[in-house]
């Protein structure tokens, strides 16, 4: 057994209840335990009594100098007070609130180390539950002490003891995963030493060296997994070499109702070149809102059709799937392509018919939601899989989709511009194309940041647009009053209010709690201009295309990230009329103000994405943590971006080097990759 398979219950003191609680912390094996890193540290080296500063947190070695007393209020213990004497003979009182059991541990003459807040006026130290230890217990005091996130009966003291015990007993079984030449090149300490120092550092310098080593290791292994996956994908088995002529591509371009931009033509050529080769395509197409990425997805699916195969497009929502299906049918069916739609809300009879067409090969281009990933969906000959808004799908979902075909070409699309540092970690296994040019005729969107006291003025502007025959989105963060947060507008109340404001016009309500059929009905009526004002949460942020809409008004804009706000703004400005985005916000933080200023200052999605990453950090970049975004234990994508770049470069160099495959720790690296469900063959095999 390895540390990664040995249950933490082998440690004394870990019974069924503690095992369950440790599981809530993500700790089930010894490897989980020793890599459960502290989130901060406290300097608990003892101070002389004469150096204590009023109001500060202090650590002092003391001797109990008399019986501890407990005060009661009714049936509840209020305080426990023990007279104590410091090593330099200063007399103080140690105070514990609501911990009467401490009295039994404070026998006169006992030497203990306490940590707490010092009150010079009362000559007392208020001690927290677990912040006193018997003299000599150096895991918890007289050093730099780690602080961990804990739950229930797993106390900081217990966790420190378990980690110390596991490192002491099983430390010799911790495998070294970084090749010696890299450790020497970057002056990295050994893994066992790094594990010891990250939990129980001797000095701030040894802690720094441990963090540096473990961050590099985490990024190196992550990049190794990505690059190995990329290598396997390209070399494990040949894909389909699609046979596509220049004449067929010209015919596709001629059917478009618009001329492709230079960026679209460049990326289209990259896709064509990939799909003509036997090595499976593995490409990400990034482009700003409205840059015209969807037509590139249709092109890839059309190339598959020309070679007698199928193409499938996976999208996150039914609304977007239905819109793509209509657009694909309008463009491709005149070229002889049969398009099909597969979504979760379809009736059984319709679903069975679609599944039969897919399996028989009668459907050439299939567009759907997560329903495409279900086990019962069998393709006749799937040669290209396309994922739209791919960051909304996790690595496993992407893998399931790929396995629907035999070494298919893979194309990912993202309308969310992603900063290079973040893309490098999430999409390190992909070739990246940029559609960095907007179609001709797209008018810039005027963006205004207003405070809530300007609400009526803004609503009058919206009404003036409606009077011209235009339409408007009004977006807010919450669905209904039951979710109410003070000062935050919810869609249900806003809908009722705006029905009065916009009397004479139709107001609709859209949010994530509606049934799929209800959403479809509301969107159809909005697209057909039967609804002029759509009050919504962010369910309309991706994919919806209503060119007649000229106003996007966002309430509580400070509650959205820049990526979300940019996506919302991109829902307007898609037609011939001038468009406006109104952000109503009164931020209570400097970061909130920075977001509003950035939205007004630029419409470049990549500039905003970098700013969003800077202000919010990678975990919040998409508004919520997504399964496709790596959750590193110790590395930080924002602050440690240079280490990620170095790790990526070294992995690419290692994989290309024959010497790498003969390293003594090659077997441990392969074992790691197997655990990560990546099979890596030796170079040249």
């Amino acid at each position: 057994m390895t540390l990664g398979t040995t249950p933490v219950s082998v440690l004394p003191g870990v019974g069924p209840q503690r095992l369950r609680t440790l599981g809530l912390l993500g700790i089930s094996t010894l490897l989980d335990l020793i890599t459960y890193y502290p989130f901060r540290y406290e300097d608990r080296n003892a101070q002389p009594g004469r150096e204590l500063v009023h109001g500060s947190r202090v650590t002092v070695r003391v001797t109990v100098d008399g019986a501890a007393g407990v005060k009661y209020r009714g049936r509840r213990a209020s305080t426990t007070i023990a007279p104590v004497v410091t090593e330099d003979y200063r007399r103080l009182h140690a105070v514990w609130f609501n911990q009467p059991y401490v009295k039994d541990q404070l026998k006169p003459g006992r030497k203990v180390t306490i940590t707490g807040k010092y009150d010079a006026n009362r000559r007392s130290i208020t001690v927290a539950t677990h912040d006193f230890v018997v003299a000599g217990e150096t895991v918890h005091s007289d050093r730099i002490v780690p602080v961990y996130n804990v739950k229930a009966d797993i106390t900081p003291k217990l966790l420190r003891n378990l980690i110390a015990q596991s490192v002491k007993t099983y430390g010799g079984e911790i495998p070294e995963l970084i090749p010696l030449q890299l450790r020497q090149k970057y002056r990295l300490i050994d893994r066992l030493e790094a594990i010891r120092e990250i939990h129980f550092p001797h000095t701030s310098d040894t802690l720094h060296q441990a963090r540096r080593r473990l961050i590099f290791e985490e990024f190196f292994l992550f990049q190794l997994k990505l690059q190995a996956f990329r290598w396997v994908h390209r070399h494990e088995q040949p894909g389909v070499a699609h046979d596509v002529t220049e004449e067929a591509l010209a015919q596709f371009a001629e059917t478009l109702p618009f001329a492709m931009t230079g960026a679209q033509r460049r990326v289209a050529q990259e896709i064509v070149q990939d799909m003509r080769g036997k090595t499976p395509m593995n490409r990400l197409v990034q482009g700003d809102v409205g840059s015209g990425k969807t037509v590139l997805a249709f092109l890839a699916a059309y190339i598959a059709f020309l070679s007698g195969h199928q193409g499938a497009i996976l999208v996150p929502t039914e609304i977007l799937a239905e819109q793509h299906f209509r657009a694909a049918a309008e463009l491709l069916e005149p070229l002889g392509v049969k398009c099909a739609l597969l979504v979760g809300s379809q009736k059984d009879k319709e679903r069975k018919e679609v599944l039969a067409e897919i399996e028989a090969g009668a459907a050439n281009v299939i567009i759907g939601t997560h329903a495409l990933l279900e086990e019962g969906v069998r393709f006749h000959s799937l040669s290209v899989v396309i994922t739209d808004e791919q960051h909304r799908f996790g690595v496993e979902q992407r893998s399931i989709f790929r396995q629907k075909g035999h070494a298919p070409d893979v194309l990912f699309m993202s309308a969310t511009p992603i900063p290079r540092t973040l893309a490098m970690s999430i999409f390190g296994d992909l070739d990246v194309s940029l559609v960095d040019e907007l179609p001709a005729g797209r008018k810039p969107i005027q963006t205004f940041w207003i405070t809530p006291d300007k609400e009526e003025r803004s609503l009058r502007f919206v009404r003036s647009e409606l009077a011209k025959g235009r339409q408007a989105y009004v977006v807010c963060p919450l669905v209904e009053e039951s979710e109410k947060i003070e000062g935050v507008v919810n869609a249900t109340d806003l809908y009722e209010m705006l029905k009065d404001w916009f009397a004479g016009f139709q107001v609709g309500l859209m949010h994530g709690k509606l049934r799929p059929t209800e959403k479809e009905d509301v969107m159809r009526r909005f697209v057909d201009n039967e609804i002029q004002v759509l009050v919504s949460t962010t369910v309309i942020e991706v994919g919806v295309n209503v060119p007649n809409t000229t106003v996007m008004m966002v309430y509580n804009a400070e509650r959205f990230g820049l990526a979300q706000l940019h996506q919302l703004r991109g829902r307007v400005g898609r037609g011939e009329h001038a468009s406006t985005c109104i952000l109503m916000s009164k931020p209570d933080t400097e970061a909130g103000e920075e977001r509003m200023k950035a939205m007004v200052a630029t419409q470049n999605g990549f500039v905003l994405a970098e700013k969003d990453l800077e202000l919010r950090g990678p975990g919040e970049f998409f508004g919520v943590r997504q399964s496709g975004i790596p959750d590193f234990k110790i590395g930080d994508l924002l602050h440690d971006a240079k280490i990620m770049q170095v790790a990526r470069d070294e992995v690419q160099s290692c994989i290309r080097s024959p010497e790498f495959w003969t390293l003594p720790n090659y077997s441990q690296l392969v074992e790691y990759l197997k655990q990560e469900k990546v099979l890596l063959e030796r170079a040249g095999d």
Side-chain angles (χ1 to χ4, degrees), residues 192-229:
L192 175 56
E193 184 182 355
I195 291 291
R196 286 174 176 154
E197 289 296 324
I198 201 69
H199 291 295
F200 307 109
H202 287 88
T203 66
S204 58
D205 181 64
T206 60
L207 174 59
H208 171 74
Q209 293 302 325
R211 282 187 54 81
R212 183 171 169 270
R213 150 69 204 228
L214 293 173
I215 291 170
F216 181 85
E217 173 186 298
E218 188 170 36
F219 287 171
F220 179 83
L221 294 177
F222 180 77
Q223 287 294 337
L224 183 62
K225 180 175 68 173
L226 283 182
Q227 300 304 325
F229 186 80

Side-chain angles (χ1 to χ4, degrees), residues 3 47 80 102-103 117 161 197 201 210 405 649:
L3 293 181
Q47 304 164 249
T80 302
V102 171
K103 177 183 177 183
K117 187 174 182 180
N161 281 331
E197 289 296 324
D649 292 345

Side-chain angles (χ1 to χ4, degrees), residues 500-553:
D500 292 333
W501 250 98
F502 300 129
F505 298 98
Q506 289 297 312
V507 180
L509 176 62
M510 166 76 82
H511 55 71
K513 292 187 178 182
L514 294 179
R515 292 192 297 269
T517 53
E518 294 174 320
K519 291 180 187 176
E520 181 183 356
D521 180 61
V522 172
M523 281 310 307
R524 180 192 58 77
R525 292 170 59 206
F526 188 64
V527 170
D528 293 343
N529 203 4
E530 294 174 16
I531 291 174
Q532 286 75 50
V533 179
L534 184 61
V535 179
S536 175
T537 55
T538 55
V539 293
I540 52 91
E541 72 179 76
V542 174
V544 179
N545 184 26
V546 185
N548 190 49
T549 310
T550 59
V551 182
M552 168 63 70
M553 184 171 177

Side-chain angles (χ1 to χ4, degrees), residues 408-610:
D409 287 325
V410 178
L411 184 65
F412 299 112
M413 319 288 287
S414 180
T416 303
I418 300 165
R420 184 171 177 272
T421 51
L422 194 54
M424 189 166 54
S425 62
I426 305 173
F427 312 129
D429 55 331
L430 306 176
D431 295 313
V432 179
S433 295
L434 295 181
V435 186
D436 51 3
E437 180 182 353
L438 292 177
R442 282 296 296 265
K443 296 180 174 62
I445 303 164
Q446 283 195 299
T447 303
F448 299 97
W449 167 27
I450 65 165
T451 49
D453 58 306
K454 304 290 195 307
E455 178 185 17
E456 289 193 11
R457 179 179 172 183
S458 298
L459 291 176
R460 285 196 295 271
F461 170 76
V462 174
R463 188 175 179 88
S464 71
E465 286 293 291
L466 300 181
K468 299 175 186 176
R470 314 287 177 253
Q471 292 165 270
Y473 295 108
V474 181
V475 174
C476 58
L478 302 180
V479 174
E480 55 193 17
E481 190 172 5
S482 61
E483 303 178 280
K484 194 168 184 181
I485 300 172
E486 186 176 353
V488 179
V489 177
N490 69 80
T492 306
D493 289 349
L494 185 60
Y495 166 70
E496 294 298 332
M497 185 266 283
L498 293 184
K499 283 196 297 187
D500 292 333
W501 250 98
F502 300 129
F505 298 98
Q506 289 297 312
V507 180
L509 176 62
M510 166 76 82
H511 55 71
K513 292 187 178 182
L514 294 179
R515 292 192 297 269
T517 53
E518 294 174 320
K519 291 180 187 176
E520 181 183 356
D521 180 61
V522 172
M523 281 310 307
R524 180 192 58 77
R525 292 170 59 206
F526 188 64
V527 170
D528 293 343
N529 203 4
E530 294 174 16
I531 291 174
Q532 286 75 50
V533 179
L534 184 61
V535 179
S536 175
T537 55
T538 55
V539 293
I540 52 91
E541 72 179 76
V542 174
V544 179
N545 184 26
V546 185
N548 190 49
T549 310
T550 59
V551 182
M552 168 63 70
M553 184 171 177
V554 183
Y555 280 74
N556 295 114
E558 74 279 358
R559 296 186 66 84
F560 301 101
L562 282 172
Q564 278 183 304
L565 291 174
H566 186 58
Q567 287 283 342
L568 290 169
R569 177 167 60 185
R571 297 305 102 214
V572 298
R574 306 175 77 87
E576 58 182 308
H577 308 293
S579 295
T580 304
C581 177
I582 302 170
L583 306 173
M584 189 163 72
S585 173
K586 191 174 182 180
D588 54 6
T589 66
E590 187 176 333
E593 289 190 9
E594 287 294 316
R595 284 202 291 277
M596 296 306 105
K597 290 176 182 176
M599 283 295 296
V600 173
T602 182
Q603 293 187 34
N604 185 310
F606 288 94
V607 172
L608 291 172
E610 292 287 353

Side-chain angles (χ1 to χ4, degrees), residues 25 27 36-40 147-151 154 156 159:
L25 295 172
I27 300 171
Y36 190 78
Y37 301 127
F39 72 92
R40 66 180 176 87
V147 181
Y148 305 89
N149 285 312
V150 294
K151 281 182 182 290
I154 305 299
L159 199 54

